Amino acid sequence: GAVVSQHPSWVICKSGTSVKIECRSLDFQATTMFWYRQFPKQSLMLMATSNEGSKATYEQGVEKDKFLINHASLTLSTLTVTSAHPEDSSFYICSAQRPGERYEQYFGPGTRLTVT
Amino acid sequence: EDKVVQSPLSLVVHEGDTVTLNCSYEVTNFRSLLWYKQEKKAPTFLFMLTSSGIEKKSGRLSSILDKKELFSILNITATQTGDSAIYLCAPGSGNTGKLIFGQGTTLQVKP
């Protein structure tokens, strides 16, 4: 199997606070994880690629200081939304790759973030 | 700039119908193309296509890639209400494993 979990599944926070989202590969070690955001009725937009033990690679237009990514182990990557604002409200989904597979990505169930 | 266009954007059919979903792409350093099905939350993997002209099948679903014309199709035969979902096409670019997602086709299958 290739099971990926995310925690929390939904979170509500106030403007100005920070929120951490965890992404875990439960039955495999993931050298690479990806973070996406998805707005209603839109597709997945890649935010960053996270490699274990190294700095994340961010897509153009994604603020590194706002969306902090840490991939401290082969089964855990975290995304911290710092100083959240209402426009950061979105559905955040992570995915992970199994070693030896170049393109298959296995997705977590996503985290719904609402910033009030 | 990389571009992925899926059509139609939405589709409503009745159970038993056959549907064809289209995906055209212009992607730098194309390597492979993946199809995913997204119901309420996480996308689930359907197919990965690397070679042109070779059909992949899984039950009532099948898919094929044309690397010359830069498109792929996903066919679903004898549709069921459980096929209702958003179908996402995602070409892989370069050597990083990065996927570029299309905007998706929303399929609704009515009883």
Side-chain angles (χ1 to χ4, degrees):
Chain A
V3 181
V4 178
S5 71
Q6 273 184 249
H7 177 80
S9 54
W10 60 272
V11 58
I12 301 172
C13 70
K14 291 186 177 180
S15 257
T17 61
S18 295
V19 174
K20 181 186 280 189
I21 302 170
E22 292 185 350
C23 177
R24 292 181 186 274
S25 55
L26 298 185
D27 54 358
F28 65 100
Q29 293 184 330
T31 50
T32 304
M33 291 183 170
F34 300 85
W35 286 97
Y36 296 84
R37 66 187 296 182
Q38 186 176 32
F39 291 104
K41 297 188 179 180
Q42 293 189 27
S43 192
L44 281 74
M45 185 191 81
L46 179 64
M47 299 175 66
T49 302
S50 168
N51 291 296
E52 186 266 339
S54 63
K55 289 185 179 179
T57 302
Y58 290 81
E59 293 300 301
Q60 194 172 9
V62 178
E63 298 176 58
K64 300 178 185 183
D65 295 332
K66 181 163 186 63
F67 298 100
L68 300 178
I69 291 172
N70 184 278
H71 194 156
S73 78
L74 287 172
T75 59
L76 173 64
S77 177
T78 60
L79 168 69
T80 302
V81 183
T82 62
S83 186
H85 290 285
E87 57 266 29
D88 298 325
S89 298
S90 187
F91 192 55
Y92 292 86
I93 307 181
C94 73
S95 70
Q97 284 184 326
R98 291 193 296 201
E101 293 181 351
R102 180 64 65 81
Y103 289 101
E104 293 97 322
Q105 293 181 22
Y106 302 93
F107 285 83
T111 297
R112 173 75 58 194
L113 170 64
T114 302
V115 185
T116 60
Chain B
E1 186 182 329
D2 295 331
K3 191 175 173 184
V4 183
V5 177
Q6 290 186 245
S7 64
L9 290 179
S10 65
L11 191 55
V12 181
V13 300
H14 287 93
E15 276 193 314
D17 289 348
T18 294
V19 297
T20 298
L21 310 183
N22 304 291
C23 174
S24 65
Y25 63 91
E26 291 176 35
V27 167
T28 310
N29 295 325
F30 173 83
R31 292 287 188 268
S32 59
L33 186 142
L34 284 75
W35 284 96
Y36 284 87
K37 176 183 181 183
Q38 185 176 25
E39 295 178 82
K40 292 188 178 174
K41 291 189 175 180
T44 53
F45 173 77
L46 294 175
F47 296 109
M48 184 172 80
L49 305 160
T50 306
S51 301
S52 222
I54 298 174
E55 184 184 52
K56 287 208 171 180
K57 290 196 76 168
S58 176
R60 296 177 292 102
L61 278 66
S62 64
S63 185
I64 198 162
L65 174 68
D66 186 328
K67 289 164 77 172
K68 184 179 175 186
E69 300 298 328
L70 306 182
F71 78 88
S72 174
I73 60 172
L74 174 69
N75 276 322
I76 309 175
T77 58
T79 52
Q80 301 170 358
T81 54
D83 296 326
S84 296
I86 300 172
Y87 290 85
L88 297 165
C89 160
S93 171
N95 294 318
T96 61
K98 175 179 167 179
L99 296 178
I100 300 161
F101 281 85
Q103 70 273 52
T105 293
T106 300
L107 173 65
Q108 184 184 357
V109 181
K110 291 186 172 181

